Amino acid sequence: MKERELVIVGGGPAGMAAALAARAAGVRDVLLLERDQHLGGILNQCIHPGFGLHHFKEELTGPEYADRFVRLVREDPAIEVSLRSFVVKLTGARELSFLRPGALEEVKARAVILATGCRERTREMIAIPGSRPAGVFPAGLAQKMVNIEGWIPGREAVIVGSGDIGLIMARRMALEGVRVKAVVEIQKTSRGLVRNVVQCLEDFGIPLYFQHRVSMIHGRDRVEKVAVVKVDDDFKDLPGTGFEIACDTVLVSVGLIPENELLEMAGGEINRRTNTPVAPAVNLTSVPGIFACGNACKVYDLADSVTKDSELAGRLAAEYLGAAA
Amino acid sequence: MKYDVIVVGAGITGAAVARELSRYRLDVLLLEREAEPAFGVSKSNSGIIHAGTQNPPASLKGWLCVEGNRLMREELAEDLGLNFVQCGQLVVAFEESDVKELEKIKADGEALGIRGMALVDRAWLDANEPNLGPEVKAALLVPSAGIISPYRFVYALVENAVRNGVQLKTSCRVTGITRIEKGGFYVEAGGQVHTARFLVNAAGLAADEVSAMAGAPTFKIHPRKGEEYLLDKKREHIANRIIFPLPSRTSKGILIIKTSDGNPMIGPTAHETEDKADLSTTDEGLAEVLAGARRMMPSIEKSDIIAYFAGLRPAAGKDFVIRHEDSAPGLVNAAGIQSPGLTAAPAIAAMVAGILKDHGLRLEPKAEFHRLRPKPAHLFQVTLAETRHLIEKNPAYGDIVCRCELVSAQEVRDAVKRGARTLDGVKFRTRAQAGRCHGGFCTTRIMKIMHEELGLAATEITKRGPGSELIKEERK
Ligand SMILES: Cc1cc2nc3c(=O)[nH]c(=O)nc-3n(C[C@H](O)[C@H](O)[C@H](O)COP(=O)(O)OP(=O)(O)OC[C@H]3O[C@@H](n4cnc5c(N)ncnc54)[C@H](O)[C@@H]3O)c2cc1C
Ligand SMILES: Cc1cc2nc3c(=O)[nH]c(=O)nc-3n(C[C@H](O)[C@H](O)[C@H](O)COP(=O)(O)OP(=O)(O)OC[C@H]3O[C@@H](n4cnc5c(N)ncnc54)[C@H](O)[C@@H]3O)c2cc1C
């Protein structure tokens, strides 16, 4: 099995920042594995502005923000980038297996940084009852469809959850001529940034229902309507408050879950509720020589914070490698 | 065109009948109203190849189940390349006094021909099923039960039937049936009229309507809904066998089910409904299933759930309705196929062939019947060493599309080549979109592969047939 000094899994902002920082701190050999065909991670589909205000002191779109790092990574010959490379296995001894078109590769790393990001919580995880027609999308998938593919998923939408992705998608859909009829939030307040509530909903006249839940999805082949009901402080339905909204699309934006299946495989301890690594400090895991950063470590609101903390992860890995050398 | 036999419905029953008839020198047409086979009841069930316990010893469904179970173990799993796992089942009792009930189930089962059953005590259970809760006192072990992917079972039968000359027409609903005076039927479907000497009605929930259309309004289907909840693959090893509570009068109770793809499942409920299209899950159903499952395994949590669905058992009374209708000569009903229909289907098919023969159909074996169907390659079923071998032969096996379930671009292409026309069809064949992210990452990629393979525009790609398009508009 080939030996590498540092292997980083995930080529989003976290993986790239960690790679660059590790190099700056003296690591001589970095292999950066990304399963997509581009670097940049989730930023590639975030075409809205609002990135980089802290780090670059300017307002960039997601792809512009990513691009600044992609260029630096590409310029550094000691960072080998392997795209379309999907890591399927990690052991506690830091052996990695990854698949790419044409090969199954195995490497042994002296240190590993996991920068695998998040997946979305789904309709299923919050168990919205009803039928299972076409037209129910995780909001991030809808974002990818609209922004990357130019596919408009529906004509009339209801959004479940008022996190940032839900808010941003409400505006994005409205800009594409989709009637966004409501954002339904079970909590008393939005989990999203205040600026997003204002810029994405209020400016577009999209109603936001706090302390309400979607209690049923109707429609056989395609969504036809949803039932909505008001809930009390214990999330119990308030009788007599139910109403229906006709729509053909439901976007579900109910939070993100860190992707830590690889860490789990390697025997790392995981908090079952948050799916984050259990460790004494940020970027560490319970397995020596395996680090985690970015959204895999905890769910961040801002890409700039991801960059900052991930640079620290790069330095921690460098320190670990120095100590081990 | 003139057929010897038209089979209505490509669920497990129709698929098994078609494959059985494809052994003989017959012209057979299989008609399905949905975009693909297995989109009816046969897609939403527990996937258990039942041993046959808990059926009355004198019932048709009891002995057909035991025979279907035998056929699966001894022939079909091997011949059709099915991923059947004979994991066995336990029927658990919560009271010492219920051990008598277990003994009765054992005696009834033995009368049906089920072998190898044994009563096991708490010490055995502690050693073999450590996650069972403290309330469980004893159990009946039934080794012949197993699990299978229900839709892949249907696809395998249909593919093999087609390989042996059966004609399959999907998106082809039977809308009218006229009896021909000299015998046989005109069958209107999908804008065409076909002629058949014999008609096999395997139309599941619509079987009463189809039978009436053919002139035999002899029974009524009363759907009984079952909600099922799938758990994360991380909980794969929570149980080593299928766990049943002692059955109640209306159902086998809430089970803990191993599935052949790894995710454990809990369910199903059993509630009568009048609406044949009601596939909704409910808050009440979820609460009932969780309570039932947690009584047997308290460590199961609501947060383990990653997916859910409901299915409707097409019940017509207490037993299957498998018979020639003398009031409509040439019509054979294979109806009211409630649980354990998935298990019994191959035995039902043999019985239907026998009935057809008794009513004058000549069953002359083909010179060459292709009994075997090559097993499709699935990365999630093989070791890393085998994966390496597959990728070396074909690089596209290394091009991963679905990250949660480890499905490659090649598997998606294979699925389309083997007949998938919808996103659900791809999901059922490959598991892509069936994992914890529910297609969040892979849906767009699968749609592009379908575009490449089938020439469909994004706006034409459906979840499960016309009306379920995903995209309303494409902007360049
Ligand atoms: C819709 C949305 C809007 C946002 N808006 C803003 C905003 O306006 N301003 C702001 O500052 N921040 C915003 N953020 C937050 C910020 O973009 C994220 O916190 C940040 O992108 C997370 O970076 P990451 O590298 O940890 O994860 P990701 O960007 O998700 O990257 C993870 C990478 O790992 C790869 N990967 C995963 N598993 C494997 C594997 N097994 N093998 C190989 N590769 C793998 C993935 O393909 C992916 O490329 C937004 C986030 C989202 C989702
Ligand atoms: C919740 C649940 C759990 C179950 N668990 C198990 C289990 O673990 N083990 C087991 O053995 N059994 C189980 N069953 C039972 C099993 O699923 C059924 O017995 C079996 O699937 C019935 O198959 P079928 O082919 O008769 O019906 P279907 O699969 O419904 O097939 C009938 C087909 O006919 C088509 N059709 C209808 N009308 C027309 C028309 N006019 N023209 C053309 N086509 C038409 C339909 O579209 C459909 O595809 C379960 C059932 C449920 C609901």
Side-chain angles (χ1 to χ4, degrees), chain A residues 54-318:
Chain A
H54 301 270
H55 193 82
F56 293 110
K57 308 276 183 275
E58 18 174 346
E59 190 166 22
L60 304 172
T61 65
E64 286 167 351
Y65 187 87
D67 210 45
R68 303 241 168 146
F69 292 92
V70 174
R71 244 178 287 153
L72 295 173
V73 166
R74 288 297 190 186
E75 276 164 14
D76 185 340
I79 303 177
E80 182 192 343
V81 176
S82 184
L83 297 173
R84 300 177 77 183
S85 298
F86 177 74
V87 179
V88 291
K89 196 171 152 205
L90 173 66
T91 68
R94 298 183 301 278
E95 294 147 333
L96 294 106
S97 312
F98 62 96
L99 304 182
R100 60 177 174 78
L104 182 145
E105 311 252 21
E106 286 172 312
V107 292
K108 180 160 171 52
R110 289 179 50 219
V112 171
I113 299 178
L114 297 172
T116 44
C118 276
R119 62 173 174 271
E120 297 185 84
R121 280 166 59 89
T122 60
R123 168 204 173 165
E124 286 76 11
M125 296 191 66
I126 57 166
I128 305 177
S131 55
R132 298 173 309 120
V136 183
F137 300 94
L141 171 60
Q143 183 180 46
K144 186 159 147 192
M145 285 179 161
V146 175
N147 290 351
I148 308 243
E149 310 295 344
W151 296 345
I152 309 303
R155 305 261 181 240
E156 298 195 314
V158 166
I159 297 182
V160 182
S162 66
D164 284 320
I165 309 181
L167 298 174
I168 284 167
M169 277 314 289
R171 172 177 63 186
R172 189 73 189 94
M173 301 271 281
L175 286 172
E176 288 294 340
V178 177
R179 264 190 76 198
V180 181
K181 293 182 135 181
V183 174
V184 181
E185 169 61 63
I186 197 165
Q187 306 282 349
K188 281 181 189 164
T189 53
S190 167
R191 270 176 296 111
L193 302 171
V194 179
R195 69 161 198 240
N196 280 338
V197 176
V198 176
Q199 294 170 3
C200 298
L201 300 188
E202 292 175 12
D203 293 0
F204 288 81
I206 297 169
L208 170 56
Y209 295 91
F210 285 121
Q211 289 201 290
H212 279 73
R213 73 169 184 123
V214 169
S215 57
M216 198 59 133
I217 293 176
H218 295 277
R220 185 190 118 98
D221 294 321
R222 177 87 196 190
V223 177
E224 285 162 15
K225 61 182 180 187
V226 298
V228 178
V229 63
K230 193 164 170 32
V231 298
D232 65 16
D233 290 355
D234 300 321
F235 307 114
K236 294 261 176 317
D237 294 357
L238 291 171
T241 61
F243 59 98
E244 289 183 342
I245 306 177
C247 58
D248 61 13
T249 303
V250 176
L251 299 193
V252 182
S253 172
V254 291
L256 301 171
I257 309 166
E259 293 240 271
N260 280 307
E261 279 62 39
L262 290 173
L263 179 58
E264 213 171 346
M265 255 183 239
E269 218 184 307
I270 305 276
N271 177 327
R272 254 191 88 187
R273 199 178 55 79
T274 56
N275 220 41
T276 50
V278 175
V282 70
N283 293 336
L284 299 181
T285 74
S286 62
V287 188
I290 300 184
F291 303 85
C293 67
N295 275 356
C297 178
K298 62 177 198 208
V299 180
Y300 287 87
D301 288 334
L302 292 178
D304 279 340
S305 325
V306 169
T307 301
K308 189 160 149 266
D309 281 2
S310 302
E311 287 173 344
L312 174 67
R315 289 195 292 274
L316 282 172

Side-chain angles (χ1 to χ4, degrees), chain B residues 371-411:
Chain B
R371 189 168 52 85
L372 306 182
R373 169 217 182 228
K375 184 174 186 155
H378 292 297
L379 298 188
F380 74 87
Q381 288 173 345
V382 305
T383 61
L384 270 186
E386 287 169 81
T387 300
R388 180 192 301 281
H389 186 68
L390 283 170
I391 297 175
E392 275 163 9
K393 277 198 310 200
N394 182 342
Y397 281 110
D399 182 1
I400 298 301
V401 170
C402 164
R403 61 203 267 192
C404 303
E405 299 295 320
L406 195 63
V407 183
S408 63
Q410 186 56 41
E411 288 159 77

